Amino acid sequence: MNQWTVSEPDSIVLDEPVQSAQVRMIAGALNVVAAEGPARIEVTELKGEPLQVSLVDGVLTVTYQHLSWNDFGFGGQLKTMDAIKDGFKDLVSSLKRKRKSRAVVTLTLPADAVVKLGSVSADTTVSGLQTDTAVYAITGATTLVGLGGKTEANSVSGDVDAQSVGGELKLKTVNGDLTVVAGTATTVRANTVSGVVTLDLTGAAPADVRANTVSGDVAIRLPRPADTKVEAGSTTGKFSTAFEELKLGGTWGGQRLTGVLGAGSGSLEVTTVSGSVSVLARPEDDTPSLVKELTDGSDGTEDTA
């Protein structure tokens, strides 16, 4: 067993293989990077309570002494978002009464390491991992870059951005925005209550995509030619699409945009109560982000309602 107490900025090179990592942060920033060579930990900023680091049987743990997964409201597994929100509120209130703890930590791990990350208000960035990645946050931003395998990000009010993520992607927030840029995942799940969902998909293989909101708008850009069956419904939101094959039906208070693009091998399902729905086309050899495209109004989308 290797154990360290880190009370000031430091760098630790781990001479044993790391198969998985579990990190629980309060405030600051957490960066997890895949790279060859020995795993290492770099703490470039540290205030308040010291960090406790251990490496046991290939499992690397970085946390605070009195901070457990139960403090995050999901006990190691995701419960309802209300339970997480209440748990985080209690945690933040407790921490404010004690001391302010902040750390900036970078973990360099092998690409096949399995990671599970929790933060109260720290911004989290994960890049290059190719197995299982799980992030649980409250207010900090989450950025996922170049990941494979199974990726899951859950947040209460922090935004989640995923860039060039493949494999299986699951994103969930209460009111944070969910953004996927140049996504190649074959399975995408995006769920939020009031956040905006923006999905820019570039994968060549047909994907299974589902997006759900209550009041948040949903904008999805598909590669052209597309190969998917589309079913999108909104109670009061507006619809727009760049695909002539998609038709708007139903009545006010329950409209649906449906149709089959190409052979319909993939599936796209969108459900929202009051959010608007846009299904856009991604031209070949086109690289601008969907966020910019929507901002400058240059998408060529035609309103259908």
Side-chain angles (χ1 to χ4, degrees):
M1 176 187 294
N2 292 316
Q3 291 183 316
W4 300 265
T5 296
V6 181
S7 55
E8 61 184 15
D10 198 359
S11 179
I12 302 173
V13 178
L14 304 172
D15 55 7
E16 294 183 15
V18 174
Q19 300 173 349
S20 66
Q22 297 195 18
V23 183
R24 297 184 291 274
M25 297 277 292
I26 297 174
L30 172 61
N31 304 299
V32 180
V33 182
E36 296 182 356
R40 62 182 184 272
I41 306 168
E42 296 180 62
V43 181
T44 56
E45 181 181 338
L46 184 63
K47 297 179 180 179
E49 188 176 351
L51 286 168
Q52 304 298 318
V53 180
S54 66
L55 178 57
V56 182
D57 296 330
V59 180
L60 174 65
T61 302
V62 181
T63 186
Y64 292 95
Q65 184 174 1
H66 301 296
L67 185 63
S68 70
W69 288 116
N70 288 330
D71 293 319
F72 289 86
F74 45 79
Q77 293 186 354
L78 183 64
K79 297 180 180 178
T80 66
M81 293 306 291
D82 286 341
I84 295 176
K85 190 173 183 178
D86 291 341
F88 272 126
K89 283 182 178 179
D90 293 340
L91 176 61
V92 173
S93 177
S94 175
L95 291 171
K96 285 182 177 179
R97 290 195 302 268
K98 294 178 181 179
R99 62 172 70 90
K100 293 183 178 180
S101 295
R102 173 183 171 85
V104 177
V105 178
T106 299
L107 298 184
T108 302
L109 303 174
D112 60 354
V114 176
V115 302
K116 179 180 176 183
L117 313 173
S119 75
V120 178
S121 59
D123 292 339
T124 301
T125 301
V126 187
S127 63
L129 299 178
Q130 298 302 309
T131 50
D132 295 349
T133 299
V135 180
Y136 302 93
I138 178 170
T139 61
T142 300
T143 302
L144 312 168
V145 182
L147 305 183
K150 296 181 180 179
T151 301
E152 180 179 358
N154 304 274
S155 178
V156 177
S157 60
D159 295 340
V160 179
D161 295 319
Q163 304 172 20
S164 302
V165 174
E168 181 178 332
L169 179 61
K170 295 183 179 180
L171 310 177
K172 180 181 288 187
T173 70
V174 175
N175 53 22
D177 293 341
L178 304 176
T179 303
V180 174
V181 176
T184 60
T186 55
T187 300
V188 179
R189 299 290 183 267
N191 299 279
T192 181
V193 176
S194 58
V196 174
V197 175
T198 306
L199 306 179
D200 175 35
L201 307 177
T202 65
D208 178 11
V209 182
R210 298 180 188 178
N212 297 278
T213 78
V214 176
S215 59
D217 294 340
V218 179
I220 300 176
R221 189 166 73 164
L222 301 174
R224 189 191 288 274
D227 182 12
T228 189
K229 181 180 179 181
V230 177
E231 293 189 8
S234 180
T235 303
T236 59
K238 294 183 178 180
F239 291 82
S240 61
T241 182
F243 293 95
E244 295 180 355
E245 301 94 323
L246 303 183
K247 305 299 180 183
L248 188 64
T251 60
W252 186 91
Q255 292 185 311
R256 298 187 66 80
L257 182 69
T258 61
V260 177
L261 303 176
S265 301
S267 66
L268 169 60
E269 297 183 11
V270 179
T271 303
T272 179
V273 177
S274 59
S276 297
V277 178
S278 300
V279 181
L280 314 176
R282 194 180 204 275
E284 293 185 54
D285 302 322
D286 182 48
T287 57
S289 74
L290 178 56
V291 176
K292 179 180 185 299
E293 185 175 281
L294 291 175
T295 301
D296 63 20
S298 61
D299 56 55
T301 301
E302 179 179 354
D303 288 341
T304 61

